[in-house]
Amino acid sequence: MIQYIILFYLSSICLLGAQNIDSNILSIQKRMDTIETFMANVELKVDISFVNIPKKQARIEYVQNKDTKVFSEDFVLIPKNGLDVSLHQLFKNPFITVDRGTEIRQNKTYKVANIIPSSKKADFSIATVLIDINLNRIIEYEISTKKDGIYIVKMNYDESASILPSNIEVVFEIERIRIPLKYMGKDAHIDKKTYKSETPKTGTIFLNFKYTKITYNTF
Amino acid sequence: MKDLIFTEIFKLFKQGKTYYALAAIFIIEIIILFSAYSQGQSVLDLLLDNLQQSFHFEGNLLNGNLLSYLILNTLWFHLPLILIVIVSGTLTSEYKDRTLLSVMLQPVSKWKFILCKYIVAILFTLLIVFFLALTTFILSYTFFGSGDLIVYLDNLNFYESSDAFYRITWAFIIGAISMVFFSVVSLTLAIILEEATKTWIAGAFFLIVSNLLLKVNFGNYFLDNWLYFKLNDTWQYLFYFNIPWHQIYMNLALLILYILITMFIGVFIFNKKDISL
């Protein structure tokens, strides 16, 4: 009996170690890895209940395996997550995947899977991705970061063959300003309930990309 | 009347106090610029703490527009206090030196004389605010450059550089009307109290009470919207994301009405008053 138990235990370990990565995710990863560099002009629109900021323009430069650089003449709020249109953050560390079935959005069926990093270096603990298996791309992912909370990134594409999204919607958690630095005046009235609220609010940032240059690996 | 105005302008610019006022304003600006340079970034970090969790920031917020906005905030207390001292001094010094008696011995109408004092006080106030605005823009943009302005007013508001300049300029213009009211009140107090120290104390008291009552919610539409104290911050309306111009026009009309009423009271009291030795 003990022999059977040991045999079962060892075989379980072996099976876990050899866990397959979802073929669709591997295919998307391979497709994204073909992008070597890109440059784009981005329009950023921030929607946070307690922040008023006009639409901003910026220029971004992406080089594979490097941090995306953002340039702007104005002051811009750059989301810590969401500008990563190449999905580098998801795939840069070793990971395993878990199939979560399918989900219907706007009469279209998408595959749902979890990406779980197997390395401690990863800056997120789990991501849930919605995959368009026909067009071989991710249309939405929810990522639970270790430091910056949970983000939902929704991606829309111009054409069915596009690898990179034309616009992105990033939904994130954000706490209300707790220290109302006042310059005196009309804001003397403070809604105590709002300021004392511990409940995090959500904010959204909309990014519209106009790609000016995309280069691909030739391997 | 024109000659009386010119005489008053001459007297104003002949007295040393006028230049002390200009120097005081300039020194206040330098102090604000220096303190903003040394502590501004930490204040901004505190203000943007929540956003730093979700965003990286590209661009510099510690710039000429923020500095101009901070200097603009001298309209709350520093500038009206200086104006109260200088403007009331134009009459109390005449009481003290008895030059008023000499003037009144001339064929000069009392109401015309005091009305000219009011007119010159208003012109001087506008000149001082213009001086403040000009030096603010020159110093701020020279040392800190331009950039987006961040203002915490109900919400965290960001304004693009050109928009910020437009708002600050209009805030100075509208703030000037508030300053005119304080000047007119201080001259009226000088008419009533005659003595410099008493007038300064009464003027400072009026200023402090104005600022305190601004924050009091009376729970009455008339008191909360039409009382002078509630109009003192009209220039701040320029920093709401959507500028409530209608409210600003309304407040300015009321402020001008208050100015005219105060002037009328002052002229009436002075006209009835005996100038004695």
Side-chain angles (χ1 to χ4, degrees):
Chain A
M1 183 64 185
I2 293 168
Q3 285 173 324
Y4 283 115
I5 293 169
I6 291 168
L7 188 65
F8 176 74
Y9 174 73
L10 287 173
S11 57
S12 302
I13 288 174
C14 290
L15 283 170
L16 277 173
Q19 189 166 9
N20 288 330
I21 296 174
D22 185 281
S23 60
N24 294 113
I25 290 177
L26 274 179
S27 169
I28 291 167
Q29 183 187 9
K30 202 174 171 186
R31 197 180 179 210
M32 299 312 289
D33 282 346
T34 62
I35 300 165
E36 193 173 57
T37 66
F38 73 78
M39 284 195 275
N41 294 321
V42 190
E43 185 187 75
L44 300 101
K45 187 184 160 205
V46 177
D47 181 14
I48 305 172
S49 62
F50 58 93
V51 175
N52 292 316
I53 185 167
K55 279 182 188 173
K56 295 285 181 177
Q57 305 291 331
R59 186 168 55 84
I60 67 167
E61 285 180 13
Y62 166 81
V63 177
Q64 200 172 48
N65 299 324
K66 288 186 179 173
D67 289 335
T68 305
K69 287 180 182 172
V70 181
F71 306 92
S72 178
E73 289 176 8
D74 297 328
F75 176 80
V76 283
L77 298 171
I78 304 152
K80 284 187 174 173
N81 291 280
L83 266 187
D84 179 29
V85 289
S86 65
L87 306 176
H88 176 65
Q89 186 189 16
L90 289 179
F91 302 135
K92 72 177 173 184
N93 291 296
F95 60 88
I96 58 167
T97 60
V98 179
D99 193 332
R100 294 289 177 197
T102 58
E103 196 172 313
I104 297 170
R105 296 273 177 95
Q106 292 166 332
N107 299 323
K108 237 182 142 181
T109 306
Y110 297 99
K111 185 174 185 176
V112 183
N114 286 143
I115 295 175
I116 304 163
S118 51
S119 164
K120 285 181 181 175
K121 286 180 187 172
D123 53 9
F124 70 97
S125 48
I126 188 168
T128 306
V129 294
L130 246 73
I131 306 163
D132 185 334
I133 49 174
N134 296 322
L135 299 176
N136 197 26
R137 61 196 181 193
I138 290 172
I139 60 128
E140 183 180 312
Y141 63 92
E142 182 183 301
I143 185 165
S144 301
T145 63
K146 289 177 181 172
K147 288 181 182 173
D148 304 320
I150 298 169
Y151 287 78
I152 299 169
V153 181
K154 298 172 185 175
M155 295 181 283
N156 294 302
Y157 300 83
D158 266 349
E159 294 167 18
S160 52
S162 301
I163 302 179
L164 296 171
S166 56
N167 60 71
I168 290 178
E169 193 180 320
V170 186
V171 183
F172 51 90
E173 288 178 345
I174 189 161
E175 287 178 11
R176 191 81 167 85
I177 296 172
R178 290 187 187 183
I179 305 161
L181 181 68
K182 294 190 295 172
Y183 300 113
M184 300 166 67
K186 294 299 284 183
D187 57 340
H189 174 72
I190 295 166
D191 184 348
K192 285 181 186 170
K193 277 186 185 171
T194 310
Y195 279 99
K196 282 185 177 175
S197 168
E198 292 292 328
T199 321
K201 311 282 177 194
T202 57
T204 310
I205 183 160
F206 302 90
L207 302 113
N208 285 313
F209 290 82
K210 290 261 185 282
Y211 297 97
T212 51
K213 188 184 172 189
I214 304 175
T215 58
Y216 298 93
N217 285 321
T218 49
F219 59 82
Chain B
M1 188 86 168
K2 204 164 70 178
D3 292 336
L4 272 175
I5 290 174
F6 282 123
T7 310
E8 286 303 321
I9 291 172
F10 176 78
K11 282 195 278 185
L12 184 68
F13 285 97
K14 196 76 182 161
Q15 64 174 10
K17 276 182 280 190
T18 308
Y19 301 98
Y20 282 123
L22 292 172
I25 289 165
F26 196 70
I27 290 167
I28 289 169
E29 283 180 62
I30 300 288
I31 291 169
I32 291 172
L33 289 175
F34 180 76
S35 60
Y37 179 75
S38 59
Q39 294 175 356
Q41 197 53 54
S42 57
V43 172
L44 282 172
D45 288 344
L46 190 72
L47 194 62
L48 297 171
D49 186 44
N50 291 47
L51 292 178
Q52 272 170 350
Q53 191 189 354
S54 308
F55 294 100
H56 295 297
F57 304 133
E58 174 71 26
N60 178 27
L61 284 176
L62 187 60
N63 55 53
N65 283 317
L66 181 65
L67 270 292
S68 299
Y69 178 74
L70 292 177
I71 293 172
L72 183 68
N73 277 268
T74 56
L75 296 185
W76 286 118
F77 195 79
H78 307 81
L79 190 63
L81 189 66
I82 290 169
L83 286 167
I84 284 168
V85 172
I86 302 301
V87 170
S88 64
T90 60
L91 188 65
T92 54
S93 60
E94 295 223 36
Y95 274 116
K96 188 186 166 198
D97 301 339
R98 304 199 186 284
T99 50
L100 188 62
L101 195 65
S102 309
V103 174
M104 290 298 108
L105 289 172
Q106 308 300 315
V108 175
S109 161
K110 278 170 82 179
W111 73 268
K112 278 186 182 173
F113 170 80
I114 202 66
L115 188 62
C116 288
K117 283 260 184 215
Y118 275 117
I119 291 167
V120 172
I122 290 167
L123 291 175
F124 176 70
T125 305
L126 297 176
L127 181 76
I128 286 283
V129 176
F130 176 75
F131 173 79
L132 176 71
L134 188 70
T135 49
T136 293
F137 287 133
I138 290 171
L139 290 171
S140 300
Y141 290 132
T142 303
F143 292 110
F144 291 87
S146 64
D148 285 16
L149 171 66
I150 179 174
V151 174
Y152 185 84
L153 198 63
D154 285 352
N155 290 316
L156 208 51
N157 301 301
F158 292 84
Y159 304 112
E160 286 178 347
S161 186
S162 56
D163 189 25
F165 178 75
Y166 169 81
R167 287 169 187 265
I168 294 168
T169 306
W170 270 104
F172 271 116
I173 293 167
I174 290 162
I177 311 292
S178 274
M179 298 303 106
V180 165
F181 180 76
F182 281 114
S183 294
V184 167
V185 166
S186 71
L187 195 57
T188 309
L189 288 171
I191 292 168
I192 298 165
L193 299 169
E194 297 181 14
E195 211 248 300
T197 315
K198 284 180 192 169
T199 310
W200 292 344
I201 291 169
F205 177 74
F206 179 79
L207 178 61
I208 292 165
V209 168
S210 296
N211 279 327
L212 288 176
L213 290 180
L214 176 71
K215 294 171 184 293
V216 177
N217 188 3
F218 294 101
N220 176 289
Y221 179 82
F222 174 78
L223 294 176
D224 283 333
N225 293 281
W226 288 46
L227 209 61
Y228 164 70
F229 312 115
K230 297 291 181 180
L231 310 174
N232 193 24
D233 65 343
T234 304
W235 58 270
Q236 277 265 313
Y237 286 49
L238 268 297
F239 299 100
Y240 283 116
F241 202 69
N242 297 311
I243 302 171
W245 282 109
H246 179 76
Q247 186 66 45
I248 290 171
Y249 294 143
M250 180 70 183
N251 286 8
L252 287 184
L254 284 170
L255 261 176
I256 292 167
L257 186 68
Y258 278 116
I259 289 167
L260 292 174
I261 291 170
T262 311
M263 281 171 69
F264 177 79
I265 293 168
V267 172
F268 181 79
I269 294 171
F270 189 78
N271 216 29
K272 290 278 176 196
K273 212 167 192 168
D274 288 330
I275 311 297
S276 54
L277 277 168

